[in-house]
Amino acid sequence: MPEPDSESISSYWDAAADTFDDEADHGLRDLRVRAAWAGRLRSWMPRPPSDVLDLGCGTGSLTLLLAEQGHRPVGLDLSPRMAEAARRKLASAGFAVTVLVGDASAPPAAAGASFDVILARHLMWTLPAPERALRTWMGLLRPHGRLILIEGNWQASDDGPPYVAGAHALPWLGGVSAGPLLDVLRPYAASVRAEPLTDPVLWGKPIHDERYAVIARR
């Protein structure tokens, strides 16, 4: 079965850019939701300032939180419209943050050669080769660096609208449980752990599926 191509994936997220922030955990417009994510990020991150690559940054809500906390983030997204929304959001808050368009699986050299932290939220399910991407990311971390993955297992129904042509070839379509993700990372990490993200304040609503963060240290 053919894999989805990057152009179709980019177009899908371009079309979603205008309404992306309407979801409580995307736009962080609710101050309680925003504070909850700020607190979680602070607990996972090293003391600022750190160089952070925010992969699949979307409209830049977490990128902005990182900048506000004194870190030096670089955003990367495959969708030009998402990246442009992130640039506007950061600039309007007074931060000069680089946001690039590119493939998170193989970050472009313009993003930087090494990082203290690599962050990705709800990205793994979109990747044609997630295990290869994880190896790449761990290789971009400096000694004692951290890979922070905010993930879940939603098991998207076939009854809903299709993602993109060829999406069923994606290994983790619908999400991935914490166990398999930890298993992939263990050979490359000095330590790795999962933290449940069950607090409904994080999502702006009660949840009934698996949501968690994985923190892997090099």
Side-chain angles (χ1 to χ4, degrees):
M1 183 179 296
E3 295 178 352
D5 63 87
S6 61
E7 184 175 346
S8 64
I9 295 173
S10 174
S11 296
Y12 176 93
W13 293 109
D14 273 351
D18 287 345
T19 58
F20 189 75
D21 278 357
D22 292 347
E23 291 288 332
D25 60 305
H26 292 170
L28 307 185
R29 292 166 174 163
D30 184 311
L31 294 181
R32 292 178 67 240
V33 176
R34 195 175 196 280
W37 280 107
R40 292 297 177 122
L41 278 181
R42 196 173 286 109
S43 73
W44 300 325
M45 294 288 297
R47 295 183 64 180
S50 295
D51 294 317
V52 187
L53 179 59
D54 185 0
L55 295 170
C57 67
T59 60
S61 293
L62 294 188
T63 323
L64 175 56
L65 290 182
L66 291 168
E68 290 176 339
Q69 292 179 8
H71 297 289
R72 297 184 292 258
V74 172
L76 178 68
D77 203 278
L78 189 63
S79 159
R81 293 195 67 197
M82 288 282 191
E84 180 55 33
R87 292 186 196 107
R88 290 196 304 268
K89 184 178 292 184
L90 288 152
S92 66
F95 292 100
V97 172
T98 298
V99 180
L100 302 172
V101 175
D103 183 357
S105 296
S114 64
F115 303 90
D116 300 304
V117 179
I118 294 177
L119 169 70
R121 179 169 66 166
H122 299 171
L123 180 63
M124 303 308 305
W125 70 273
T126 71
L127 301 181
E131 296 188 16
R132 185 172 63 208
L134 290 167
R135 291 195 299 271
T136 296
W137 300 343
M138 290 300 294
L140 290 173
L141 289 173
R142 294 168 183 158
H144 311 295
R146 306 178 191 191
L147 175 64
I148 301 171
L149 304 173
I150 301 163
E151 283 298 332
N153 190 0
W154 310 281
Q155 292 302 314
S157 169
D158 289 340
D159 297 334
Y163 175 39
V164 292
H168 288 292
L170 298 173
W172 288 344
L173 181 68
V176 59
S177 289
L181 187 50
L182 292 171
D183 288 342
V184 172
L185 284 168
R186 283 192 179 100
Y188 310 103
S191 66
V192 60
R193 65 180 179 87
E195 177 181 316
L197 299 177
T198 55
D199 185 351
V201 175
L202 290 166
W203 313 106
K205 60 186 177 183
I207 58 165
H208 306 286
D209 46 31
E210 182 185 4
R211 305 192 192 194
Y212 60 90
V214 163
I215 299 90
R217 296 180 184 242
R218 188 173 175 190

